[in-house]
Amino acid sequence: MEGGLVLLGGGSSGVSTNESAVLSKVEVVSEAESELELGLGLSLGGGGGGATGKTKAANSSWGECGRILTAKDFPSVVSQRSNNGGPFSGTKRAAESVSHESGSPSGASQVVGWPPIRSYRMNSLVNQAKAQRGDEGDSGVVEKDKPKDALKKKLNSNGKQTTVNEKGHLGFVKVNIDGIPIGRKVDLNAHSSYESLAQALEDMFLRSANSLEKEPLALSKLLDGSSEFVLTYEDKEGDWMLVGDVPWRMFVSSVRRLRIMRTSEANGLAPRFNESNERQKSKPI
Amino acid sequence: MMFSFPDEVLEHVFSFIQSDKDRNSVSMVCKSWYEIERWCRRKVFVGNCYSVSPRMVIRRFPEFRSIELKGKPHFADFNLVPDGWGGYVFPWIAEMAGAFPWLEEIKLKRMVVTDESLELIAKSFKNFKVLVLSSCEGFSTDGLAAIAASCKNLKELDLRDCEVDDLSGHWLSHFPDTVSLVSLNISCLGSDEVSFSALERLVGRCTNLRTLRLNRAVPLDKIANILRRAPHLVEFGTGTYAADLRPDVYSDLAGAFSSCKELKSLSGFWDLVPAYLPAIYPACSKLTSLNLSYATIQSPDLIKLLSQCPNLQRLLVLDYIEDSGLEALASTCKDLQELRVFPSDPFGAEPNVSLTERGLVAVSSGCPKLQSVLYFCRRMSNEALVTIAKNCPNFTRFRLCIIEPRTADYLTLEPLDVGFGAIVQYCKDLQRLSLSGLLTDRVFEYIGTYAKKLEMLSVAFAGDSDLGLHHVLSGCESLRKLEIRDCPFGDKALLANAAKLDTMRSLWMSSCAVSFGACKLLGQKMPRLNVEVIDERGPPDSRPESCPVDKLYIYRTVAGPRFDMPPFVWTMEDDPSLQLS
């Protein structure tokens, strides 16, 4: 470490008073630093192998370090191809995606916040790109050279804009839980099933509840009715529904926000179809 | 001789000094200048709302009329800052409401604004004129209705890129008949949030309207009516620019655009249908700013359009423009100062358009006034970057995003250190830089050596070791904001350069290798910094101290630690016994 600084001192032009103050501070902290150095489990410089050690996902249990996502860990196709013998030989692909949530969708690397495009713009782009790649869902198929016809489809479908993504972040919807005033956001695009969404929500609220040192909220099995809480959502029409009744994709395209409600308050929630009204009410909650 | 000037004279002189930086310098000349200046400062800018308390600001500047506040760190734009982190404006409004009813302007960026805050603004400031909310969230149309109803002197209402809860589309009807807006930007509102008839009536009443940016829900066939009611518009943003082609609608629209003789800036154009594009041609020769970044039109149509806009200074566009379109741009728009090219399919595995480094090189070569660039592409070379740097020594902002992280020079397979090095070496006035591609510690050495005017640096997936961070912190004299994600920077450089952090506004590091122990140490040693650890996995002290933190946000403050943090943010405590003078 000291060696590194000496190299730098030689190269930089003009040592400002700031720098000399900094250098004197270095001596004072050196003891603490060397302890830190010993304590750090990851290699920080040179060699690409340093990151292999821990591959646990970031949301593993406490008491362990959890994996640190550094440049070396990033599953980059290009750096494998380049193979220039530099410090990035053979990056290690994480077992889990780097976005901290399981079940990320297929396609290019889904890193949170990358590429750095603002949410508002991302929503418009994703809707257009999905449509052009011929995705399913209610956005219809838009061909590059036939915009008019496709737009007719879009505009006619419900007169309003197509998917929920315009109201919130890319796939991010707000989720509130009864009893905690601060809401969170969850990225629906990072999930492909109700189970993985429920798991993520349980992790999110179970953990923050513990850190508040309250009674741990029994969130397990949000979906099957065996928990004290039930997962509900508000759809495009403004109705509140129980999560889980419709196919996943239909849910994703119509959900506006989520609410984890106490089971006791969930009676009488509007079911998806009127016919199943009675069925819903008699379901054990 | 200066001492014999009466205060009123000095005050009059100071009134010509508008820039914040200059005002700050003036106030440091001597005590009497400090006193005079603080009484006559009319605009206050607070770059980080947690760096100072509202009470302190009001105490020092008892007569300001305009305040600008910024809240969340920049990376909040990309969902890296968890919801609930902070940035609440209410405490500021509450303090100001009590202290001075004559406040006229509030400008906020990345803050949480509640309906309660908006209602308090509406109630408290009788002469309120300007509300600009940029990338804010937390309010609904109810709050907007309160503003509309009570702020009789409102001139500007600008909601750019905000997240607004839609409750009713009729908030616009709450504007009284006497209101005379100069600027209205509702481009971020969702479908249900605007009533067209109310909008038309409002536009008709506001004879001084110069800026109007509509939201996506306003259909194409409504634009003509609106434009006819506002023939003096200088800046206009359309809604959805798509409809079945109908001659009557087209000619109506074309007529409306030609009647607006003062249009200089156009935006909107969601879902743009090329058939309707010629309707704006009459306005093109005067256009200085064009935002087509939501328009999915292809290069040939873009080229035709741009050939009509020789006075263009600012262009935002999707990568559908391709290299060919940028070459055309370079040959027609010689006054171009700012270019932003956004990706149309950022997550596609393969490039969907032919946009490469060639386009940017062409623009750099053809547009001598180019100063500000934001460019998303999929490949780059050192050779291209060096050429660009040499072509444009006047760059003030250069942000390059190569979509796949750690992409090497596609010609040589080397890192892009030399290319970015050329940028900082040739562009001596560079204030803002964003890096991407394969980068080693060497690029940071170049930056630390050459980028002496650099104020903001954004780094992602780059560097090899702490030396990289050390180069930047020790070399970049003008650095104010540094944001880093997914880089192998740890404790050493940070601790060795702790004093530097006192001279900067803020530092953000996420998914790096800074340990909790180092954060604690920094918090203890540096009383004028707030060291915030953001970690959604749980309390950092439930893990070993050597464990890296998930996210770290450090900012200088005279207000001490804040108390409005959510459960997943911890501020490291000061420890007076450990502080160094």
Side-chain angles (χ1 to χ4, degrees):
Chain A
M1 155 71 188
E2 279 69 38
L5 270 183
V6 162
L7 265 175
L8 200 67
S12 63
S13 49
V15 178
S16 65
T17 49
N18 202 23
E19 228 170 284
S20 49
V22 162
L23 286 173
S24 64
K25 278 180 178 145
V26 166
E27 288 157 28
V28 174
V29 304
S30 59
E31 265 182 30
E33 262 188 89
S34 51
E35 278 167 6
L36 286 172
E37 198 169 339
L38 290 171
L40 285 171
L42 299 172
S43 69
L44 291 181
T52 40
K54 303 177 204 279
T55 53
K56 291 189 180 109
N59 56 357
S60 62
S61 56
W62 312 341
E64 291 152 307
C65 278
R67 201 168 66 82
I68 310 314
L69 307 171
T70 67
K72 291 178 178 42
D73 300 324
F74 187 82
S76 163
V77 172
V78 177
S79 64
Q80 280 167 0
R81 258 196 274 127
S82 68
N83 232 356
N84 53 4
F88 305 102
S89 50
T91 50
K92 312 299 177 288
R93 183 174 284 273
E96 251 87 22
S97 84
V98 294
S99 67
H100 292 202
E101 281 162 3
S102 50
S104 59
S106 60
S109 1
Q110 296 279 334
V111 182
V112 174
W114 190 268
I117 300 172
R118 304 175 69 185
S119 326
Y120 185 65
R121 184 176 296 286
M122 200 73 109
N123 296 337
S124 302
L125 294 179
V126 169
N127 286 339
Q128 286 159 354
K130 259 191 189 160
Q132 276 158 14
R133 273 191 258 130
D135 209 334
E136 63 280 78
D138 57 2
S139 53
V141 174
V142 179
E143 290 151 39
K144 279 188 192 179
D145 46 1
K146 287 189 189 154
K148 281 181 274 179
D149 295 341
L151 281 159
K152 209 197 285 186
K153 242 197 240 176
K154 247 194 198 173
L155 290 171
N156 281 345
S157 60
N158 55 6
K160 299 184 199 176
Q161 293 307 316
T162 47
T163 75
V164 67
N165 285 331
E166 299 181 60
K167 301 246 186 271
H169 294 287
L170 165 66
F172 277 82
V173 292
K174 289 189 186 164
V175 52
N176 284 80
I177 182 169
D178 287 355
I180 296 181
I182 296 170
R184 306 293 296 278
K185 278 198 182 136
V186 65
D187 180 2
L188 289 182
N189 283 346
H191 299 280
S192 48
S193 71
Y194 286 119
E195 284 68 36
S196 85
L197 173 65
Q199 184 62 56
L201 291 176
E202 286 166 23
D203 289 345
M204 199 183 278
F205 288 100
L206 179 61
R207 269 184 275 121
S208 58
N210 276 346
S211 67
L212 284 172
E213 294 177 275
K214 281 189 191 159
E215 288 290 312
L217 308 169
L219 284 188
S220 59
K221 313 296 182 247
L222 271 175
L223 294 175
D224 69 4
S226 67
S227 140
E228 172 193 335
F229 286 86
V230 69
L231 183 58
T232 65
Y233 72 104
E234 183 187 21
D235 72 0
K236 272 195 286 213
E237 274 93 46
D239 300 321
W240 285 90
M241 312 281 194
L242 283 172
V243 164
D245 281 342
V246 303
W248 172 256
R249 289 208 185 278
M250 200 186 296
F251 164 71
V252 169
S253 65
S254 64
V255 60
R256 287 221 302 224
R257 54 184 160 169
L258 296 165
R259 181 175 159 204
I260 302 174
M261 214 181 260
R262 283 185 202 282
T263 311
S264 47
E265 291 180 26
N267 284 324
L269 255 192
R272 185 88 190 153
F273 303 102
N274 282 336
E275 307 86 79
S276 52
N277 205 0
E278 294 309 307
R279 186 163 54 84
Q280 288 285 21
K281 280 189 176 157
S282 59
K283 236 188 187 174
I285 298 177
Chain B
M1 228 183 336
M2 287 300 241
F3 307 107
S4 63
F5 282 1
D7 288 359
E8 300 83 55
V9 173
L10 281 174
E11 209 177 296
H12 183 69
V13 172
F14 292 171
S15 69
F16 294 99
I17 299 172
Q18 302 290 344
S19 113
D20 219 61
K21 271 190 195 155
D22 292 340
R23 280 262 169 177
N24 290 344
S25 307
V26 159
S27 67
M28 293 206 289
V29 167
C30 63
K31 273 200 177 128
S32 66
W33 279 37
Y34 176 91
E35 277 301 308
I36 297 167
E37 194 281 319
R38 69 178 257 263
W39 279 96
C40 69
R41 190 177 301 208
R42 296 284 175 262
K43 284 187 189 212
V44 170
F45 170 76
V46 180
N48 172 6
C49 64
Y50 290 119
S51 63
V52 67
S53 76
R55 197 162 295 182
M56 286 171 173
V57 174
I58 293 171
R59 210 169 46 212
R60 177 166 170 193
F61 302 113
E63 304 253 328
F64 66 87
R65 299 277 183 279
S66 159
I67 186 161
E68 184 176 345
L69 296 170
K70 296 189 181 181
K72 302 185 204 172
H74 173 237
F75 274 175
D77 283 354
F78 317 127
N79 296 323
L80 288 178
V81 178
D83 233 29
W85 170 83
Y88 305 103
V89 79
F90 188 78
W92 289 83
I93 310 290
E95 282 286 345
M96 294 188 297
F100 23 109
W102 50 80
L103 189 68
E104 292 178 3
E105 284 188 11
I106 296 177
K107 299 183 182 180
L108 306 175
K109 188 165 188 179
R110 284 189 211 102
M111 294 196 75
V112 177
V113 180
T114 55
D115 283 346
E116 210 187 341
S117 307
L118 291 176
E119 280 152 20
L120 191 54
I121 292 174
K123 232 175 21 194
S124 317
F125 307 119
K126 295 303 160 207
N127 199 26
F128 195 67
K129 294 195 173 127
V130 173
L131 184 63
V132 177
L133 302 178
S134 177
S135 304
C136 295
E137 54 163 354
F139 60 102
S140 77
T141 45
D142 282 356
L144 294 178
I147 296 279
S150 306
C151 300
K152 312 234 179 294
N153 291 321
L154 196 67
K155 295 277 170 275
E156 255 185 72
L157 179 61
D158 185 336
L159 312 168
R160 41 181 100 152
D161 299 329
C162 289
E163 254 187 71
V164 185
D165 269 345
D166 58 340
L167 296 177
S168 149
H170 294 281
W171 66 275
L172 272 178
S173 349
H174 289 251
F175 278 112
D177 289 339
T178 49
V179 79
S180 186
L181 292 174
V182 172
S183 168
L184 179 63
N185 178 354
I186 50 172
S187 53
C188 64
L189 296 186
S191 21
D192 298 335
E193 291 156 23
V194 163
S195 141
F196 302 142
S197 51
L199 181 60
E200 277 179 29
R201 284 197 307 274
L202 179 64
V203 171
R205 294 204 295 277
C206 296
T207 50
N208 290 328
L209 198 63
R210 294 293 173 266
T211 298
L212 178 63
R213 306 236 190 243
L214 303 172
N215 62 330
R216 195 170 182 169
V218 179
L220 186 88
D221 54 15
K222 296 266 186 235
I223 291 180
N225 279 348
I226 291 175
L227 281 179
R228 286 196 203 284
R229 285 170 165 76
H232 298 292
L233 275 183
V234 176
E235 300 180 325
F236 180 63
T238 74
T240 297
Y241 204 75
D244 298 336
L245 186 55
R246 280 165 41 200
D248 55 333
V249 172
Y250 178 90
S251 58
D252 209 17
L253 191 59
F257 270 111
S258 22
S259 70
C260 292
K261 307 258 183 248
E262 294 166 65
L263 272 181
K264 288 228 175 89
S265 162
L266 288 177
S267 63
F269 298 113
W270 284 278
D271 310 314
L272 184 145
V273 164
Y276 275 105
L277 202 50
I280 72 170
Y281 284 179
C284 284
S285 60
K286 297 207 197 74
L287 282 186
T288 55
S289 168
L290 191 50
N291 183 349
L292 294 167
S293 60
Y294 296 102
T296 51
I297 56 166
Q298 306 302 311
S299 185
D301 294 310
L302 274 166
I303 294 177
K304 247 193 288 191
L305 174 61
L306 291 172
S307 65
Q308 319 253 344
C309 308
N311 291 313
L312 208 57
Q313 293 171 13
R314 186 168 182 262
L315 177 65
L316 281 69
V317 74
L318 286 172
D319 57 8
Y320 291 127
I321 192 171
E322 299 193 323
D323 290 336
S324 54
L326 289 174
E327 279 154 22
L329 177 70
S331 61
T332 47
C333 301
K334 293 304 185 186
D335 277 349
L336 196 70
Q337 294 172 18
E338 181 178 349
L339 174 67
R340 299 194 187 203
V341 180
F342 296 97
S344 52
D345 188 11
F347 296 124
E350 294 301 318
N352 59 328
V353 292
S354 173
L355 180 104
T356 67
E357 80 286 0
R358 285 205 337 260
L360 187 55
V361 171
V363 179
S364 75
S365 154
C367 303
K369 299 189 188 167
L370 194 63
Q371 275 182 11
S372 171
V373 167
L374 171 60
Y375 199 74
F376 284 81
C377 60
R378 287 193 149 86
R379 75 174 199 203
M380 188 49 63
S381 67
N382 283 310
E383 185 186 331
L385 281 171
V386 171
T387 306
I388 291 167
K390 288 182 174 166
N391 285 340
C392 293
N394 294 326
F395 272 159
T396 52
R397 280 179 282 279
F398 187 73
R399 297 156 70 188
L400 179 68
C401 179
I402 304 168
I403 290 178
E404 186 69 29
R406 297 168 57 223
T407 302
D409 176 328
Y410 79 98
L411 293 170
T412 63
L413 299 185
E414 282 173 4
L416 290 169
D417 301 336
V418 167
F420 280 105
I423 295 280
V424 293
Q425 194 178 344
Y426 287 98
C427 307
K428 301 202 190 304
D429 292 326
L430 197 67
Q431 288 170 12
R432 184 166 178 187
L433 178 64
S434 299
L435 306 173
S436 59
L438 184 65
L439 297 164
T440 72
D441 284 346
R442 257 185 95 198
V443 72
F444 298 110
E445 193 177 348
Y446 290 133
I447 292 174
T449 306
Y450 293 109
K452 295 306 181 188
K453 299 256 180 78
L454 193 67
E455 296 181 9
M456 182 169 177
L457 179 64
S458 309
V459 185
F461 305 106
D464 308 315
S465 74
D466 271 52
L467 209 51
L469 181 57
H470 178 73
H471 285 302
V472 171
L473 289 177
S474 58
C476 295
E477 290 161 5
S478 311
L479 197 63
R480 291 187 299 115
K481 289 180 279 184
L482 179 57
E483 46 186 24
I484 301 173
R485 62 163 296 175
D486 294 275
C487 295
F489 300 146
D491 301 343
K492 301 172 197 172
L494 199 55
L495 293 174
N497 291 282
K500 173 72 174 175
L501 299 175
D502 260 345
T503 69
M504 291 167 54
R505 183 189 296 177
S506 64
L507 167 66
W508 168 278
M509 291 178 75
S510 57
S511 303
C512 295
V514 180
S515 72
F516 179 54
C519 294
K520 284 209 302 197
L521 197 57
L522 209 52
Q524 286 163 358
K525 282 176 42 185
M526 310 292 293
R528 283 189 311 268
L529 294 181
N530 275 357
V531 178
E532 291 188 9
V533 170
I534 302 165
D535 209 322
E536 292 179 277
R537 297 170 294 178
D541 54 14
S542 64
R543 291 182 288 276
E545 282 206 354
S546 55
C547 255
V549 298
D550 183 22
K551 296 170 183 172
L552 176 61
Y553 185 50
I554 302 175
Y555 53 91
R556 66 176 174 186
T557 178
V558 293
R562 60 182 177 115
F563 298 106
D564 60 355
M565 299 165 316
F568 48 86
V569 177
W570 294 267
T571 301
M572 304 294 105
E573 282 170 15
D574 298 334
D575 183 350
S577 64
L578 267 188
Q579 281 158 24
L580 309 168
S581 65

